[in-house]
Amino acid sequence: MKVEKIEVIDFDKKSALQCALKVAKEYFGKTPDRVKYLGGGSFGIAVGVHYKSGRSAVIKFLRSDGMLEKEVHDLKLLKRHCPIKIPSVFFARKRGGGIPADCYGMETIEGKSCLFSFGMLLKGKRYRQQFADQITSALHSIHEYTGEKFGDTMSPECDDWLDFYRPFALSVLKAAERLYVAGRLSRTIIDVMHSAWAKFDVIFSEKVERACLIHGDLNVGNIMVGKGYKISGIIDPLNSMYADREYDLFQFDNLTGKRFFLRETYIKKYGASRYCMQKLAFYGLWNEVYCYIRSGVLVGIIMNPLVKNMKRQLEKI
Ligand SMILES: Nc1ncnc2c1ncn2[C@@H]1O[C@H](COP(=O)(O)OP(=O)(O)O)[C@@H](O)[C@H]1O
Ligand SMILES: [Mg+2]
């Protein structure tokens, strides 16, 4: 995982809709009857393409080179190990021929993201608990698929989790220090990062025994819910790895995740290491700073609770 700013291709929503028409014609033989912008973040833009026949697909454009192969590889790998639907990939297309960004086409998952399904927030506790039960079981099935080595799914090379994670965490800290000096990262954030780094050996004192396959970005935004608020799929892996399985749990507490008891349900069912809560705070904060380094966009509603949580967890050691 390179800790540096990612160059993004100048590609907006309007271009994505136009390109989706062309790409769909290329792969499905016909211009779609309707295209719809579905959403996107710093690096991806998803467009739904629909035909009157009822056929549809989602085309996801990637605004940076070098993401296509991994995203497609990880979707296919995770799909084989997940009991909840993960979209099948129909095709992958490098940029060129009038399309400025790499893209891939995939199966449409019914419904919408749990993050934007406001009815989900109002569901009773029993329902939300069931939801957590299903999601955590599925995630655990993914985690049960283990590798010999730790690291990126496409090239796992490390014998030990910390051989992989410590250099990464240090690079993030160094990049954060440079941002602080440049006046682009607050004193509060860099101070708490230094306090956490000083406790690294305690937080990570328990050896991670198994190199578990992880989704890498399973927050509520990447869980889809369909009719009757039934879970319809899991999408959008990012930084999938063979890793400490607890690395997959910090995303559960981001955004509205806590309302669904996801992290606590996973831990109740499958156990946790001694310093799990400190590790999750560390993983969460470091990941968010890493995202900021790569995208240049600091998302306050995610970053601020992570900073507070790191402080709180450090006080408990
Ligand atoms: N296969 C799919 N089926 C239906 N909707 C999808 C699919 N993939 C993405 N989306 C929609 O597009 C949005 C953005 O896609 P996502 O892959 O999560 O991109 P990002 O990397 O920007 O988070 C999702 O929140 C979801 O609403
Ligand atoms: Mg997403």
Side-chain angles (χ1 to χ4, degrees), residues 217 221-222 235-236:
D217 200 22
N222 290 329
I235 57 170
D236 196 19

Side-chain angles (χ1 to χ4, degrees), residues 255-311:
L255 304 163
T256 56
K258 282 196 179 130
R259 175 119 184 112
F260 299 97
F261 323 111
L262 291 160
R263 186 252 312 147
E264 56 180 270
T265 304
Y266 186 99
I267 290 176
K268 253 187 228 151
K269 283 163 69 176
Y270 307 114
S273 64
R274 174 158 179 213
Y275 291 105
C276 179
M277 293 310 290
Q278 282 75 24
K279 274 206 287 184
L280 299 196
F282 193 104
Y283 288 148
L285 177 60
W286 252 251
N287 177 64
E288 205 48 38
V289 173
Y290 171 63
C291 291
Y292 172 47
I293 294 163
R294 281 163 51 101
S295 68
V297 181
L298 194 143
V299 186
I301 53 158
I302 301 182
M303 183 71 88
N304 298 336
L306 289 168
V307 172
K308 271 199 201 135
N309 185 41
M310 185 80 254
K311 272 192 202 158

Side-chain angles (χ1 to χ4, degrees), residues 20-265:
L21 287 167
K22 282 198 216 163
V23 171
K25 174 149 198 249
E26 211 177 284
Y27 284 92
F28 303 124
K30 244 180 103 180
T31 304
D33 298 301
R34 191 165 58 88
V35 286
K36 188 178 176 216
Y37 170 78
L38 296 176
S42 303
F43 305 115
I45 297 184
V47 177
V49 300
H50 300 266
Y51 293 94
K52 279 190 187 132
S53 64
R55 192 176 185 192
S56 74
V58 171
I59 301 182
K60 186 163 172 188
F61 293 92
L62 301 167
R63 294 174 65 214
S64 165
D65 284 341
M67 292 175 78
L68 180 66
E69 204 191 350
K70 177 163 174 62
E71 198 154 319
V72 166
H73 170 273
D74 290 346
L75 279 168
K76 290 181 181 171
L77 174 63
L78 289 162
K79 187 175 178 59
R80 291 206 297 276
H81 301 286
C82 182
I84 289 178
K85 184 185 268 187
I86 289 190
S88 303
V89 175
F90 298 144
F91 62 85
R93 187 193 187 286
K94 296 292 284 177
R95 67 193 168 111
I99 309 294
D102 292 352
C103 69
Y104 63 94
M106 64 182 139
E107 179 183 6
T108 305
I109 304 286
E110 184 225 338
K112 58 177 165 177
S113 160
C114 172
L115 177 63
F116 298 114
S117 174
F118 297 108
M120 281 293 289
L121 293 173
L122 305 175
K123 283 283 192 186
K125 190 166 176 187
R126 222 170 100 199
Y127 176 85
R128 283 178 283 130
Q129 190 62 66
Q130 265 172 21
F131 171 85
D133 196 28
Q134 288 168 32
I135 291 293
T136 54
S137 290
L139 189 61
H140 187 250
S141 297
I142 293 174
H143 294 167
E144 282 299 283
Y145 184 69
T146 55
E148 293 283 304
K149 302 266 185 189
F150 291 88
D152 189 287
T153 48
M154 295 185 66
S155 56
E157 285 166 351
C158 298
D159 289 322
D160 198 275
W161 168 238
L162 289 187
D163 292 344
F164 178 82
Y165 189 68
R166 191 199 296 264
F168 165 74
L170 184 59
S171 307
V172 172
L173 180 63
K174 294 287 163 208
E177 282 167 352
R178 289 193 292 274
L179 285 173
Y180 170 67
V181 171
R184 294 181 46 221
L185 192 81
S186 73
R187 175 82 190 258
T188 316
I189 298 179
I190 200 71
D191 280 355
V192 81
M193 286 181 84
H194 282 137
S195 309
W197 186 254
K199 296 277 184 211
F200 189 97
D201 290 342
V202 180
I203 297 173
F204 292 95
S205 53
E206 195 170 317
K207 187 173 162 64
V208 175
E209 299 289 351
R210 296 197 310 154
C212 300
L213 178 63
I214 64 159
H215 175 282
D217 200 22
L218 194 55
N219 57 52
V220 284
N222 290 329
I223 299 172
M224 301 287 289
V225 286
K227 283 196 197 89
Y229 299 104
K230 281 208 182 84
I231 298 166
S232 52
I234 287 176
I235 57 170
D236 196 19
L238 185 72
N239 304 321
S240 268
M241 295 182 259
Y242 294 101
D244 174 5
R245 68 180 192 178
E246 291 175 358
Y247 196 89
D248 238 354
L249 305 187
F250 68 83
Q251 289 285 359
F252 277 166
D253 284 340
N254 281 345
L255 304 163
T256 56
K258 282 196 179 130
R259 175 119 184 112
F260 299 97
F261 323 111
L262 291 160
R263 186 252 312 147
E264 56 180 270
T265 304

